[in-house]
Amino acid sequence: MTALNALNLLRPGSVDEAIAALLAHPGGRLLGGGTDLLVNMRRGVTQPETLIDTTGIAEIKQLVADGSGLTIGAGVTLASLAADGRVAARYPALSEAARAVAGPGHRKLGTVGGNLCLDTRCIYYNQSEWWRRANSYCLKNRGEICHVAPKGSRCHAAFSGDLAPALLVLGAEVEIGGPDGRRRIPLGELYVEDGRAHLALRSGEVVVAVRLPADPLASRYVKVRQRGAIDYPLAGVAVALARSGSRLAQLRIALTGTNSRPFLLAETAAFAQRSLDDALLREIDRLVQKQVQPMRTTLMPANYRRVVAAALASRITAELFASLAPA
């Protein structure tokens, strides 16, 4: 463990106050549940001088359903999201993803915003200070090379949040507050394929809420991890689809744990109006293997994660399709 530096703790009462605090303390970090941030601070991975405690901001703790959809505040806990009957009934992939995060204690503290903005992870980065110092710092933390890909120019640390893929296939938008006011973007635009700087947030911006449409597709989320609880996903797959008789009407697949960002699988629109047979499932498998980019960021081989992500995608698609009555 690393001794913690003296900390300046701020407790804003509104989103605007949190934005002002970030602008006044550019190196400051937002603190929600702290289940990831505080662990990294104890390891010396990150050493912010200022923590901005968001737990007193009432606006971001709301989970509101109306005729146009569902709004989930960034401060809603994962346990609350997992236990909400409206979420389970209309957005099952999101409910499954929330239940899959870490353990019960983590879910009681961890928040939606924290999981969406989770730092990327790597076996060369998420280590104690003495280990990283002895093995030479990496590109993501004080070093000059990525130990995963020494001849490359970017960090390959993987994003491992569970909620993002479920929200991506459900068509989520994210509301962001900043010095210039509020803006809403598709969730996928929040992320960049760079393990060192994977969030496209501007200076002083904070994630306020996530917005889901009122008419979601049927959906599921499944992850593979080394243990049945606690662990981050080695690969996580969300699928949403609609069925038209014996054919696919729509198909969306999103992944986490393999790349430096969660992402929607491209080119799935080509599968619409096709019968879901073995040939199509093999095409889905190949498409996933083509687009995922797992690297040696975990103790499990990268190719295993590629193959298991593809197998999950095709299996979940088949099971979800079979569970729907022909329209």
Side-chain angles (χ1 to χ4, degrees):
M1 296 294 182
T2 300
L4 293 177
N5 297 334
L7 289 169
N8 178 30
L9 180 63
L10 303 179
R11 291 191 172 96
S14 68
V15 171
D16 286 343
E17 289 180 8
I19 293 168
L22 278 175
L23 291 173
H25 304 275
R29 295 290 300 273
L30 296 175
L31 176 66
T35 54
D36 190 63
L37 175 60
L38 295 181
V39 172
N40 283 340
M41 288 173 61
R42 288 293 293 169
R43 287 180 168 177
V45 171
T46 183
Q47 292 284 353
E49 295 182 356
T50 300
L51 292 181
I52 302 166
D53 183 355
T54 62
T55 57
I57 303 176
E59 176 187 353
I60 65 172
K61 295 184 176 181
Q62 298 179 16
L63 200 163
V64 180
D66 56 33
S68 61
L70 182 71
T71 300
I72 308 167
V76 172
T77 67
L78 300 171
S80 297
L81 189 66
D84 193 284
R86 298 167 297 179
V87 176
R90 295 189 62 78
Y91 311 97
L94 181 57
S95 183
E96 290 166 344
R99 293 197 303 271
V101 177
H106 301 90
R107 294 192 291 271
K108 287 185 69 174
L109 294 172
T111 63
V112 170
N115 197 261
L116 290 179
C117 297
L118 193 68
D119 194 11
T120 53
R121 300 184 62 80
C122 178
I123 53 174
Y124 294 96
Y125 173 72
N126 295 94
Q127 300 285 352
S128 65
E129 170 64 17
W130 69 263
W131 188 97
R132 286 180 292 113
R133 183 172 61 246
N135 290 276
S136 182
Y137 296 107
C138 71
L139 189 62
K140 187 171 169 65
N141 188 310
R142 288 178 277 176
E144 297 181 354
I145 64 170
C146 174
H147 297 304
V148 171
K151 295 183 180 179
S153 59
R154 76 167 180 87
C155 169
H156 290 273
F159 179 83
S160 301
D162 288 289
L163 298 187
L167 290 166
L168 284 170
V169 297
L170 292 168
E173 294 183 325
V174 60
E175 181 181 346
I176 297 169
D180 298 323
R182 303 284 179 101
R183 62 188 179 106
R184 186 182 291 183
I185 60 173
L187 178 61
E189 294 181 11
L190 179 63
Y191 301 104
V192 178
E193 188 64 52
D194 184 347
R196 187 166 46 172
H198 70 296
L199 296 175
L201 292 174
R202 303 166 187 164
S203 177
E205 285 192 328
V206 300
V207 173
V208 177
V210 178
R211 181 73 181 176
L212 285 169
D215 54 346
L217 300 175
S219 62
R220 280 203 65 196
Y221 173 75
V222 178
K223 68 192 276 189
V224 171
R225 50 188 165 183
Q226 289 176 288
R227 296 174 293 183
I230 305 296
D231 285 342
Y232 292 93
L234 297 168
V237 179
V239 174
L241 61 81
R243 177 173 177 168
S244 178
S246 62
R247 298 176 181 272
L248 275 171
Q250 293 184 64
L251 176 64
R252 298 176 189 163
I253 298 172
L255 298 106
T256 188
T258 60
N259 291 45
S260 293
R261 65 183 175 100
F263 68 99
L264 272 171
L265 194 70
E267 303 174 28
T268 58
F271 300 143
Q273 303 309 316
R274 289 184 54 182
S275 297
L276 190 65
D277 53 19
D278 289 344
L280 181 53
L281 291 174
R282 286 193 295 270
E283 287 186 47
I284 292 172
D285 185 293
R286 287 194 294 268
L287 193 62
V288 173
Q289 293 206 47
K290 178 181 176 181
Q291 294 184 31
V292 297
Q293 298 174 338
M295 299 290 284
R296 192 167 46 90
T297 56
T298 74
L299 295 176
M300 297 296 289
N303 191 57
Y304 167 83
R305 292 158 61 207
R306 182 190 308 277
V307 171
V308 80
L312 278 180
S314 57
R315 190 191 82 194
I316 299 168
T317 299
E319 292 176 351
L320 186 57
F321 184 86
S323 71
L324 302 177

